[in-house]
Amino acid sequence: MASLFRKLPIPNLRNFIKRNIKTACQKKKTKNYLIVRPTVDDYDQILCLMRRAYYPEEPTCSSLAFKPTVVFDDITIQSLSEGYSLIAKCKYNGDILGACINETCHCWDPDIKDSLACKVSDVKSRQLLHFYAHIQRAPDLWRKYGVQKIFEICYLFVRKDQRGKGIAYDLTEKSRVLAADCGFSLVRIDATSNNTAKLCEKMKLKLVEEIPYCTYVGADQRPIFRPPDPHKSVKIYVDDEPQKNALLLKK
């Protein structure tokens, strides 16, 4: 290496170093994944990843030590079948690194969740379904915004060894663009964790409702969920100008 440097004139050496530093920086920023819509063949891998990367860490599920049941798998597959979800796939081996499971939300959906909760035998599944119906109903966004159908970002999760690379951010941003392209006038995210709330704040989404976990109590008047700090509440965010914001994101 020393002999090579001696043969290079100083100006050329400087250009050589600058060029290689620039190349190294570009390589560092290169993403190893693509954001795509999942196919039916991806469903099993998504469910497996969700069991490892979502349920054990999501505050309401972890607070109950909830183990996903067939009912929740069916709910997830039903959401996936709507065709609005996105996944991050590794460019090199096709592994799913993260997912953003999206669905449409109507004003009667909370009642459907409550009805389903009354039919399931698993107590923890029943508690979660009733709670999800409660927070879905609470802000009454259909009436406030005069819409019949809302694009809802329901479940967002990334493989543990792939976190910190911007995958969750990209999945959420692409989901907002997809909502705009599909003609939705309102996008909703229920941030049940502090991490998701930070992501929503970073995206400058509008906070429309906050439900502290301590206020949601059972028949014994005790809170059903006691997640650890800093997960103190569910924060409900919206993007009420998805078409306008999608144009900004595409630039």
Side-chain angles (χ1 to χ4, degrees):
M1 184 64 74
S3 61
L4 174 61
F5 283 175
R6 282 198 299 269
K7 292 178 182 178
L8 284 172
I10 294 298
N12 290 347
L13 177 58
R14 286 174 182 165
N15 292 334
F16 175 82
I17 293 172
K18 285 181 181 179
R19 189 165 57 250
N20 280 274
I21 289 174
K22 185 177 179 180
T23 303
C25 290
Q26 288 174 342
K27 286 182 178 179
K28 190 176 180 180
K29 292 180 181 178
T30 300
K31 296 175 181 178
N32 67 330
Y33 59 88
L34 297 171
I35 305 295
V36 297
R37 292 198 198 190
T39 66
V40 175
D41 294 335
D42 296 315
Y43 287 4
D44 285 342
Q45 193 179 159
I46 293 170
L47 290 175
C48 288
L49 179 58
M50 197 172 181
R51 287 173 180 268
R52 296 196 311 270
Y54 180 79
Y55 290 114
E57 299 179 13
E58 194 279 326
T60 57
C61 295
S62 63
S63 178
L64 295 177
F66 174 71
K67 302 295 182 184
T69 59
V70 174
V71 172
F72 273 76
D73 284 348
D74 288 345
I75 290 171
T76 303
I77 290 173
Q78 184 178 348
S79 298
L80 288 168
S81 66
E82 284 198 66
Y84 296 117
S85 299
L86 296 174
I87 56 174
K89 265 197 172 183
C90 178
K91 289 180 180 178
Y92 310 110
N93 58 20
D95 285 351
I96 296 176
L97 309 181
C100 191
I101 300 176
N102 308 315
E103 65 180 23
T104 57
C105 174
H106 302 81
C107 60
W108 54 80
D109 285 330
D111 294 335
I112 292 175
K113 284 184 173 67
D114 277 332
S115 177
L116 177 60
C118 295
K119 296 175 184 177
V120 299
S121 56
D122 180 65
V123 175
K124 294 177 181 178
S125 295
R126 190 159 61 244
Q127 288 174 321
L128 283 170
L129 285 168
H130 278 313
F131 181 63
Y132 293 162
H134 171 69
I135 62 176
Q136 196 172 45
R137 184 184 290 117
D140 196 10
L141 298 178
W142 303 279
R143 182 184 60 81
K144 285 181 181 177
Y145 286 92
V147 296
Q148 292 185 337
K149 191 161 60 171
I150 298 170
F151 186 100
E152 185 169 352
I153 296 175
C154 292
Y155 308 108
L156 176 65
F157 50 94
V158 176
R159 212 168 78 181
K160 286 185 179 181
D161 63 336
Q162 296 296 320
R163 293 173 186 173
K165 299 181 178 181
I167 295 176
Y169 189 92
D170 282 351
L171 283 167
T172 309
E173 290 278 69
K174 296 291 186 183
S175 292
R176 291 170 66 193
V177 172
L178 175 61
D181 289 345
C182 292
F184 289 88
S185 59
L186 192 67
V187 179
R188 170 180 180 155
I189 304 178
D190 295 344
T192 57
S193 80
N194 191 57
N195 298 330
T196 308
K198 284 183 178 179
L199 182 66
C200 292
E201 294 288 345
K202 184 178 179 180
M203 293 180 172
K204 302 187 185 312
L205 298 180
K206 185 184 295 183
L207 177 63
V208 293
E209 188 92 10
E210 182 172 5
I211 304 171
Y213 285 119
C214 62
T215 64
Y216 187 77
V217 298
D220 58 359
Q221 297 303 306
R222 294 181 179 179
I224 291 176
F225 305 105
R226 297 183 178 87
D229 290 336
H231 312 296
K232 297 181 183 296
S233 63
V234 179
K235 293 181 178 180
I236 300 170
Y237 293 86
V238 299
D239 177 357
D240 55 5
E241 295 182 306
Q243 280 73 27
K244 175 183 173 182
N245 292 325
L247 290 174
L248 296 174
L249 293 172
K250 288 177 180 178
K251 287 183 179 180

